[in-house]
Amino acid sequence: MTARSPLASDPAKSRGRQFSLASDLARGPRSDYQRDRDRIIHSIAFRRLRYKTQVFIAPDGDHYRVRLTHSLEVAQIARVIARALGLDEDLTEALALAHDIGHPPFGHAGEDALHAAMQPFGGFDHNAHCLRTLARLESPYCEHDGLNLTWETLEGLAKHNGPLGEVNWALAEIDQAWPLELTTWPSLEAQVAAISDDIAYDNHDIDDGLHAGFLDLDELLAHPFVADRWRTVEQRYPAAPRNRQLRELIRSQIGVMVNDVIAETRRRTQGMTSVADVRAAGRASATFSAEIEEGERAFKRFMYEKLYYHPDQLATAERARAVTAELYAAYSQEPRLMDDEWHESLPEFEPQRSRHIADYVAGMTDRFAIASHARIYGRTPEGLRNV
């Protein structure tokens, strides 16, 4: 077993929770980061990821990934890297599981619609909404709002992609209540969760894109980022069915990228002796080597061109944006269309009123949004599912 690194976040030295409660001490032998992970897993917001878009909107097929399965895959990759580096696996897992909780229905298409509708009231950002959901909206406890997660978990979610400058209103409110030092680099655990997200969707979206027929197999296998490993797979397993060869390719790709992150992180953290050194490094410490990063960026461009920006995908996204915008407009004009709990707690004045409505829409799953739109407008939107 890898020895605990001095660069690991130590739950015994956590900066604690915003609300210190005596009842927390009677919750068994778990560390603070284990409790954070468990609170996230048991939250309603986490369960909703089961029906939220990853690549395809409300897919009819049972084998396509959704936000929930993607988050689980990110967590698995992140724990492998964290264990190899001697980091805190529980904090890493908590961050990986929670990183997409702020996504509205229909993924980035829904986010674009909410951001446009919310322009007069501060806009909408899925990362900031992740923290708003966990620290304000998801409230199963009697003593306080939110899940009361540790400072390290909130900080890691806020800036897992790096330091932040100007932030939107939702994250600014959280930061004002409990400063998260947004201009410094986050813990290695947060950085590992972020790079694991890239590894997961770079590779698993290949699987879904091929299954849906949006990716051309010959074009994919000729791309420089995968071509060498594909030739190795074909040479090693020449008699294997093509679908098994492709799954072997994806496993191989993940392994190469994981090992590269581990090696590059060790190289970049040589001489560091504390978490404070990681935060003050002035650059990412857990990342790809220059060679893999260059190839990975080129491959991302390929995936955007061939899959994410495929004409069918763009047309579907446009319809999803329209559905989200129409839902927001309907609730703004007639708040009684919202569930009773949300209507009855609607603030009277702006911007809180419109932000409350956006919270309601953002919490919807794809299928609930589609059903709500049909109930309000008397029709089911056509063309929202393209697989």
Side-chain angles (χ1 to χ4, degrees):
M1 185 174 179
T2 306
R4 188 177 184 86
S5 168
L7 307 183
S9 299
D10 185 349
K13 298 178 181 178
S14 169
R15 301 193 196 186
R17 306 180 187 277
Q18 184 175 5
F19 306 103
S20 298
L21 304 173
S23 59
D24 280 343
L25 301 177
R27 297 292 184 183
R30 295 170 297 167
S31 75
D32 278 338
Y33 301 151
Q34 287 175 314
R35 289 174 179 165
D36 282 359
R37 177 203 59 208
D38 296 348
R39 291 177 186 194
I40 290 163
I41 289 174
H42 289 283
S43 69
I44 293 173
F46 183 72
R47 294 198 292 277
R48 285 178 182 151
L49 295 178
R50 178 185 177 191
Y51 294 110
K52 290 201 175 190
T53 296
Q54 175 59 22
V55 176
F56 300 112
I57 291 172
D60 287 329
D62 292 338
H63 296 171
Y64 291 106
R65 287 167 176 84
V66 291
R67 286 285 169 186
L68 179 61
T69 53
H70 165 70
S71 298
L72 294 172
E73 289 169 340
V74 174
Q76 177 267 321
I77 292 170
R79 285 199 70 134
V80 169
I81 297 173
R83 182 171 299 179
L85 295 172
L87 305 178
D88 191 282
E89 293 180 43
D90 300 310
L91 176 58
T92 307
E93 185 179 23
L95 294 167
L97 291 171
H99 79 282
D100 270 352
I101 273 179
H103 275 285
F106 315 130
H108 292 288
E111 179 174 8
D112 291 344
L114 280 179
H115 183 62
M118 286 283 290
Q119 277 298 307
F121 313 106
F124 181 89
D125 172 76
H126 79 266
N127 192 54
H129 193 70
C130 173
L131 276 90
R132 179 169 170 81
T133 299
L134 296 175
R136 296 289 183 270
L137 304 178
E138 183 79 28
S139 298
Y141 300 105
C142 297
E143 300 110 318
H144 55 76
D145 290 338
L147 296 184
N148 199 26
L149 302 176
T150 61
W151 185 91
E152 291 78 14
T153 297
L154 293 177
E155 180 243 10
L157 290 171
K159 56 185 184 179
H160 57 277
N161 288 320
L164 300 172
E166 185 176 349
V167 297
N168 91 330
W169 64 273
L171 183 50
E173 280 187 356
I174 305 295
D175 183 59
Q176 184 175 19
W178 202 18
L180 298 174
E181 300 178 3
L182 298 179
T183 59
T184 64
W185 282 90
S187 64
L188 276 179
E189 287 84 359
Q191 295 183 43
V192 165
I195 202 72
S196 298
D197 184 27
D198 287 337
I199 295 172
Y201 77 72
D202 278 347
N203 292 286
H204 295 141
D205 289 358
I206 294 174
D207 194 21
D208 284 357
L210 287 171
H211 186 64
F214 283 79
L215 290 177
D216 180 85
L217 182 59
D218 291 335
E219 282 188 327
L220 170 71
L221 299 179
H223 193 280
F225 194 61
V226 302
D228 287 345
R229 276 177 284 283
W230 174 244
R231 282 191 291 269
T232 300
V233 169
E234 281 194 309
Q235 291 167 5
R236 186 176 298 168
Y237 307 104
R242 180 55 60 94
N243 67 321
R244 296 193 188 186
Q245 289 176 331
L246 288 169
R247 295 180 76 174
E248 182 65 31
L249 169 67
I250 292 169
R251 281 196 295 274
S252 175
Q253 287 274 114
I254 292 173
V256 166
M257 295 171 81
V258 164
N259 288 331
D260 182 77
V261 168
I262 292 169
E264 181 66 11
T265 303
R266 286 173 174 157
R267 187 186 72 80
R268 289 189 173 219
T269 56
Q270 282 183 345
M272 293 186 185
T273 60
S274 68
V275 179
D277 289 344
V278 175
R279 298 188 191 283
R283 65 171 186 173
S285 297
T287 189
F288 297 122
S289 66
E291 179 184 2
I292 292 292
E293 182 176 32
E294 182 181 0
E296 191 264 351
R297 285 181 176 176
F299 187 68
K300 265 193 174 70
R301 290 193 293 271
F302 169 85
M303 291 291 282
Y304 270 92
E305 178 186 353
K306 302 298 182 178
L307 177 60
Y308 309 127
Y309 292 164
H310 187 284
D312 283 358
Q313 288 282 79
L314 294 178
T316 302
E318 186 57 39
R319 289 187 283 269
R321 276 191 288 273
V323 167
T324 309
E326 288 170 3
L327 283 172
Y328 180 89
Y331 298 131
S332 296
Q333 294 165 14
E334 183 46 78
R336 291 182 182 276
L337 293 171
M338 293 190 291
D339 289 349
D340 288 346
E341 177 185 356
W342 283 85
H343 164 248
E344 291 167 2
S345 59
L346 180 68
E348 183 177 356
F349 301 107
E350 297 290 9
Q352 289 77 16
R353 181 182 186 277
S354 290
R355 290 173 178 176
H356 182 85
I357 293 169
D359 289 339
Y360 180 67
V361 175
M364 293 180 174
T365 62
D366 294 3
R367 65 176 189 172
F368 185 80
I370 293 169
S372 298
H373 187 275
R375 185 171 60 252
I376 294 169
Y377 289 95
R379 57 184 170 83
T380 301
E382 296 182 358
L384 275 176
R385 293 181 173 93
N386 58 6
V387 294

